[in-house]
């Protein structure tokens, strides 16, 4: 399963590379790659797009080295092993009252943690 996002870009070469890496490593549940921000139109988003272009690759390389097989998930620009996700990523109902209890509102970080807890590797590849 490949997860895309409307404000970032992944080229065909990137998709093929992620697919090959996933196929080659049966223990991986998720491969996250560095988002490339596109179509930014406000001052803040243009600054973020510029910073992403200038500093994103070095930032992602550092995170990849630091995290190893316990990386995070940003909710897009990733490939996820469908069976791993289906088996491990059922989101719990949290005890207590909202906003600290009830339905999980932000799920991507939790999904990576649930995959890791189930024994699947999660890596960041700065392509």
């Amino acid at each position: 399963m490949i997860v895309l996002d409307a404000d970032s870009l992944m080229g065909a070469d990137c998709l093929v590379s992620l697919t090959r890496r996933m196929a080659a490593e049966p223990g991986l549940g998720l491969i996250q790659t560095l988002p490339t921000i596109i179509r930014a139109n406000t001052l803040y988003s243009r600054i973020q797009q510029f910073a992403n272009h200038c500093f994103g690759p070095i930032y992602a390389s550092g995170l990849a080295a630091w995290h190893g097989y316990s990386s995070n998930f940003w909710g897009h620009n990733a490939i996820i092993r469908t069976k791993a996700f289906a088996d491990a990523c059922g989101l719990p109902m949290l005890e207590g009252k909202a906003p600290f209890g009830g339905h999980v509102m932000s799920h991507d970080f939790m999904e990576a943690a649930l995959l890791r807890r189930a024994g699947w590797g999660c890596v960041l590849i700065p392509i």
Side-chain angles (χ1 to χ4, degrees), residues 42-97:
T42 66
L43 177 61
Y44 177 77
S45 62
R46 293 289 297 167
I47 291 169
Q48 188 176 24
Q49 181 176 323
F50 176 75
N52 173 261
H53 177 75
C54 292
F55 308 113
I58 190 85
Y59 173 75
S61 295
L63 277 180
W66 184 269
H67 289 169
Y69 265 59
S70 299
S71 193
N72 210 342
F73 178 37
W74 298 322
H76 55 88
N77 292 72
I79 185 169
I80 302 171
R81 191 174 305 277
T82 307
K83 177 164 178 35
F85 189 84
D87 290 349
C89 291
L91 296 175
M93 181 71 82
L94 301 176
E95 294 180 15
K97 295 168 84 174

